[in-house]
Amino acid sequence: MIATQAKLVYQLNKYYNERCQARKAAIAKTIREVCKVVSDVLKEVEVQEPRFISSLSEIDARYEGMEVISPNEFEVVLYLNQMGVFNFVDDGSLPGCAVLKLSDGRKRSMSLWVEFITASGYLSARKIRSRFQTLVAQAVDKCSYRDVVKMVADTSEVKLRIRERYVVQITPAFKCTGIWPRSAAQWPMPHIPWPGPNRVAEVKAEGFNLLSKECYSLTGKQSSAESDAWVLQFSEAENRLLMGGCRKKCLSVLKTLRDRHLELPGQPLNNYHMKTLLLYECEKHPRETDWDESCLGDRLNGILLQLISCLQCRRCPHYFLPNLDLFQGKPHSALEAAAKQTWRLAREILTNAKSLDKL
């Protein structure tokens, strides 16, 4: 048994050093290329409208605010200033979303975003995005990369297609620190020892983002009040939880397997599903020793089996917001196809570690 385990870990490390590192290098190169174009477009936007200041910056060869959705799809989060006069309200009526409401009607004129406040005092995510979309469309025509970049039509999101190969979504957002959403109040579960009180305090201090984008739970039934809502996002908190042990390496292997074998019609699976299941696996295996390099094979198998179970039940709860189903709106046939393909992959890895050479 131990010999089989050791063989799997050896093969996974080989896979990581060859396939995963090659994927990382290719994506890093793409990001540099994409960020040049996006920065240029955002510079033009800023000239027209100084309230939309580009927050895309390179720190230690990484771009802050850049999320990789897949090797050809990215999201840039554009942080807006001055949320100050608004209260954050999440009463759970819109899973995964919250609203920003004027703390005092008399402060309306003090807000930097006054023309985006609705009659009932909410700062409208949709109105801000609509204005931003107009500005980006104008900037695309003016910027020095106008030959290689164009807006993606037929969406209320702000999306650019670059060199006909890459799609980048630019999402206006507010950073919320020092508060924690009520809809995530059940985290951490009292009976689960991971991640421990110190890490929990760090994560909660890190806070979350409010994004202006279409919400999972609202697809197809948006009333005007709902489309004023902001989407909760916890990427910094999640990244902080995945520090230490072989967690990041495990995520890298999962992303590479997804990119190579689970990019399926109907797009049932993205890298965020992998990240979510890895966080649940951390709860199931709370001890740091469970995340030694020697356990990489066990953890990976556990996550793949959990993924199959989620696909078969057609439900994948968000890690911090369990009422939000990350499979909502995905075609059932796509989820079934993904379950079968994940099962084939898991069986292959479990029964023959050397098959990783071909995967």
Side-chain angles (χ1 to χ4, degrees), residues 180 187-189 192-207 237 240-241 319-320:
W180 191 248
W187 184 86
M189 295 288 209
I192 292 174
W194 185 83
N198 294 349
R199 183 60 62 89
V200 168
E202 275 174 32
V203 164
K204 289 192 171 180
E206 190 79 60
R240 192 169 277 268
L241 284 174
Y319 178 67
F320 287 113

Side-chain angles (χ1 to χ4, degrees), residues 233-303:
Q233 186 229 41
F234 297 84
S235 57
E236 282 93 350
E238 290 156 358
N239 292 340
R240 192 169 277 268
L241 284 174
L242 295 178
M243 284 155 70
C246 66
R247 291 176 180 86
K248 289 231 167 115
K249 184 184 267 192
C250 191
L251 183 57
S252 201
V253 171
L254 286 163
K255 286 176 175 179
T256 308
L257 287 169
R258 191 218 73 88
D259 289 355
R260 295 170 69 91
H261 303 284
L262 296 166
E263 183 65 78
L264 302 168
Q267 296 188 305
L269 290 177
N270 58 37
N271 287 331
Y272 191 67
H273 294 120
M274 300 303 187
K275 192 185 197 184
T276 300
L277 290 171
L278 177 56
L279 288 163
Y280 283 121
E281 188 74 6
C282 291
E283 286 191 345
K284 283 184 205 155
H285 298 277
R287 295 195 309 257
E288 277 311 299
T289 49
D290 294 334
W291 293 90
D292 284 346
E293 290 283 327
S294 59
C295 301
L296 181 59
D298 288 346
R299 296 296 78 82
L300 183 79
N301 284 330
I303 293 166

Side-chain angles (χ1 to χ4, degrees), residues 22-91:
R23 175 189 179 274
K24 275 186 182 172
I27 287 176
K29 184 167 178 280
T30 302
I31 286 176
R32 280 194 298 276
E33 193 180 328
V34 158
C35 282
K36 270 188 210 146
V37 179
V38 173
S39 297
D40 201 55
V41 169
L42 290 177
K43 218 185 299 157
E44 282 294 334
V45 168
E46 206 177 311
V47 170
Q48 298 171 63
E49 174 54 277
R51 288 180 296 183
F52 291 105
I53 300 168
S54 172
S55 50
L56 187 63
S57 54
E58 192 176 1
I59 300 167
D60 301 333
R62 278 189 74 247
Y63 281 90
E64 287 297 292
M66 165 67 95
E67 291 278 318
V68 179
I69 313 291
S70 75
N72 298 322
E73 203 179 336
F74 305 89
E75 180 171 22
V76 171
V77 173
L78 182 80
Y79 291 109
L80 307 175
N81 291 323
Q82 290 202 5
M83 198 179 100
V85 297
F86 297 99
N87 285 336
F88 167 78
V89 183
D90 73 328
D91 56 7

Side-chain angles (χ1 to χ4, degrees), residues 81-121:
N81 291 323
Q82 290 202 5
M83 198 179 100
V85 297
F86 297 99
N87 285 336
F88 167 78
V89 183
D90 73 328
D91 56 7
S93 60
L94 306 171
C97 298
V99 290
L100 291 171
K101 191 167 180 18
L102 266 180
S103 52
D104 178 343
R106 290 166 301 186
K107 291 183 177 171
R108 181 181 288 263
S109 58
M110 292 161 60
S111 170
L112 184 65
W113 306 99
V114 63
E115 74 271 40
F116 305 110
I117 301 172
T118 65
S120 38

Side-chain angles (χ1 to χ4, degrees), residues 131-149:
R131 172 78 181 122
F132 182 58
Q133 192 171 37
T134 306
L135 292 166
V136 171
Q138 291 165 0
V140 162
D141 291 338
K142 288 183 185 165
C143 78
S144 46
Y145 290 97
R146 55 187 170 274
D147 297 338
V148 298
V149 60

